[in-house]
Amino acid sequence: MRTLLALLVLAAALSPAAAAACDCVVAEPEPAQAFAAAAVVVDGVVIRSSGGRFVIEVNRTFKGTPAPRVTVHTEASDCGYRFAPGERVVVYAPRVGGRLEVAQCRAGARVRWGTAAVDAEVKALLALGDGGR
């Protein structure tokens, strides 16, 4: 029985999923720190997602120039974000090399998705400032 358990643990540790998991050491910032570091902070719905970038139809802009849509780039690695069209998100995106970028290991980036998480994040953003545009 111990041998079987040891083999299962070893197999799990060597599996491609375990080897490919994002394991950065950058801690996700709190909302106030992410807000300060971001070029753009928006609440919206993903309308397109492919090839390491997603387009968000903006419901509310908390920071940056209001626009009906924003394009955000993410890493193609396991540290990048993957969203399906129709998902509601709040994105704090720093500008890197002239484009908006988020990744789990990107300093200053913060992303929330799912109704409860987005609603809580919007409340935190409202408490931080002007209520968005």
Side-chain angles (χ1 to χ4, degrees):
M1 184 67 161
R2 280 191 224 179
T3 304
L4 178 59
L5 181 58
L7 287 173
L8 288 173
V9 169
L10 181 61
L14 296 176
S15 73
C22 183
D23 61 354
C24 61
V25 294
V26 177
E28 183 181 66
E30 293 298 317
Q33 289 82 24
F35 189 89
V40 170
V41 180
V42 296
D43 165 22
V45 176
V46 175
I47 58 172
R48 227 175 9 259
S49 180
S50 69
R53 83 182 174 150
F54 50 100
V55 178
I56 301 169
E57 188 170 280
V58 176
N59 295 329
R60 180 181 285 170
T61 301
F62 291 96
K63 185 175 182 181
T65 304
R69 293 183 178 156
V70 295
T71 299
V72 179
H73 297 263
T74 190
E75 293 181 7
S77 73
D78 289 334
C79 293
Y81 290 99
R82 305 290 176 264
F83 297 109
E87 284 188 89
R88 184 172 171 216
V89 295
V90 170
V91 174
Y92 300 70
R95 194 170 300 281
V96 178
R99 65 187 198 175
L100 299 173
E101 282 195 11
V102 295
Q104 294 175 46
C105 295
R106 169 78 52 211
R110 182 175 170 94
V111 178
R112 290 291 180 266
W113 63 94
T115 303
V118 168
D119 289 346
E121 200 71 13
V122 167
K123 285 180 186 175
L125 283 163
L126 290 171
L128 283 177
D130 66 8
R133 301 174 290 263

